[in-house]
Amino acid sequence: MGKTVLLVDDDPTQRRLLQAVVEKSGFSTVQADNGNSALEHALGPDGQNIDVVMLDLVMPGLSGMDTLAELSRARPELPVIVLTGKGSIDAVVAAMQAGARDFVVKPASPERLIVSIRNALEINTLAHEVKRLNKTSKNELNFQDLIGSAPSMRSVVAMGERGAKANIPILITGESGVGKEVVARAIQGASERTGKPFITVNCGAIPENLVESILFGHEKGSFTGASAKHAGKFQEASSGTLFLDEVGELPLDMQVKLLRVLQEGEVDPIGSKRPVKVDVRIISATNRNLADAVKAGTFREDL
């Protein structure tokens, strides 16, 4: 979907010129002839469809500077490019301090206008990505950080938000590469466990003879090579979330132990004399059809 530019100028001729230049470069446009109308577009129900604002500073009624101040307060992430026939240093400084992303003196060449729009969009994309990575590192990613407006994506978000409100196990299915782990992280970020540990385990990548030790832990000396106590991923994820990717690849005997964790909330480390209670949210994912795996006898129906 193309990006939309809100053109704000009280001069209809100037708006038509801007519209021609912007739409010729592949962007959609929305127009406003004053500051109040601009705020209605940018802050109204359809405001999230506005990606960039090109704003004239000198307008009757609500001035461009006042409009800029309100946009910066209500939607600080929305890039605003200021247009004016007065290119004084004071005006530039004031606009930038008020939150403008760029400053263009009229009349500006079409190339200058389009470069400004594209730069603003690129900076916004980078800023969003930095914010998303920062929230991911803190285990605080939520559904508002996901990109996608297709009906199928909105359905995923709605189900994920409902699941996040309940401390229940969740299974995410889908082909490889569709973003199952991102959805799992968003579920944690939208739940009471936000900011807590988010531990990921690829069940299909663990050697079969190490699955039990890695997931459930072991005591020192419980088997050859166990030179120290190991807590296991369930205990490592305590108070947070354990994401079991490709859970359909778990061996049947490990599926029994996973079922016990789900039912009893405790793990049995190898060599331990007693089970260990764990407070962990389990989110699993698979690209396999588990109903077919149950029929084939490779996945437990009760699990």
Side-chain angles (χ1 to χ4, degrees):
M1 182 180 294
K3 300 295 184 178
T4 299
V5 182
L6 173 59
L7 307 175
V8 188
D9 198 308
D10 62 310
D11 184 345
T13 301
Q14 182 67 23
R15 290 201 309 273
R16 285 195 296 270
L17 291 173
L18 288 172
Q19 180 185 13
V21 170
V22 172
E23 292 185 352
K24 186 177 180 180
S25 297
F27 300 103
S28 300
T29 61
V30 175
Q31 297 186 34
D33 60 3
N34 59 67
N36 288 321
S37 177
L39 294 178
E40 289 176 5
H41 282 295
L43 307 182
D46 298 323
Q48 294 304 314
N49 296 326
I50 304 296
D51 300 293
V52 183
V53 177
M54 302 199 80
L55 175 66
D56 186 26
L57 278 188
V58 182
M59 296 184 294
L62 189 67
S63 71
M65 287 299 295
D66 289 339
T67 303
L68 173 61
E70 183 62 22
L71 288 173
S72 297
R73 183 195 65 77
R75 287 191 61 186
E77 83 289 353
L78 179 64
V80 178
I81 301 167
V82 165
L83 301 169
T84 184
K86 299 179 180 179
S88 71
I89 295 297
D90 289 344
V92 172
V93 172
M96 292 303 184
Q97 288 178 338
R101 192 66 57 84
D102 199 358
F103 191 98
V104 178
V105 179
K106 297 187 292 186
S109 69
E111 293 79 10
R112 173 69 177 89
L113 292 171
I114 298 308
V115 165
S116 183
I117 291 173
R118 288 177 174 160
N119 284 346
L121 289 171
E122 185 174 347
I123 290 171
N124 240 34
T125 299
L126 291 172
H128 180 84
E129 183 64 13
V130 169
K131 179 180 177 182
R132 190 184 69 82
L133 291 172
N134 186 45
K135 294 182 76 171
T136 298
S137 69
K138 295 179 180 179
N139 299 321
E140 295 175 350
L141 189 78
N142 58 46
F143 289 101
Q144 282 67 48
D145 301 306
L146 303 189
I147 299 173
S149 57
S152 56
M153 190 62 188
R154 290 198 295 269
S155 176
V156 169
V157 169
M159 287 189 291
E161 288 178 332
R162 287 200 301 271
K165 295 176 183 177
N167 193 34
I168 57 174
I170 290 179
L171 174 67
I172 304 172
T173 61
E175 299 175 1
S176 296
V178 298
K180 296 188 290 294
E181 182 176 341
V182 174
V183 172
R185 287 184 177 276
I187 290 172
Q188 159 147 317
S191 74
E192 294 180 352
R193 296 179 185 266
T194 182
K196 300 297 178 63
F198 184 95
I199 305 300
T200 299
V201 178
N202 188 329
C203 299
I206 308 175
E208 190 168 338
N209 63 325
L210 296 178
V211 172
E212 185 173 12
S213 173
I214 289 175
L215 288 181
F216 304 101
H218 63 252
E219 295 294 325
K220 180 179 178 180
S222 56
F223 56 86
T224 302
S227 57
K229 181 178 180 178
H230 173 65
K233 296 298 182 181
F234 279 94
Q235 293 182 64
E236 189 178 337
S238 180
S239 79
T241 300
L242 180 63
F243 177 60
L244 298 176
D245 197 11
E246 300 308 335
V247 69
E249 306 298 325
L250 273 180
L252 282 169
D253 55 340
M254 292 301 99
Q255 293 178 28
V256 175
K257 298 198 70 169
L258 175 57
L259 182 61
R260 175 175 173 78
V261 179
L262 292 172
Q263 291 176 330
E264 307 296 335
E266 57 187 29
V267 296
D268 289 306
I270 301 172
S272 177
K273 296 179 180 179
R274 59 183 64 86
V276 177
K277 282 287 183 180
V278 290
D279 172 24
V280 61
R281 169 73 163 292
I282 299 173
I283 301 180
S284 304
T286 182
N287 60 7
R288 297 178 58 185
N289 185 317
L290 292 188
D292 290 344
V294 170
K295 292 178 182 177
T298 59
F299 199 84
R300 294 180 61 95
E301 184 174 10
D302 51 1
L303 177 58

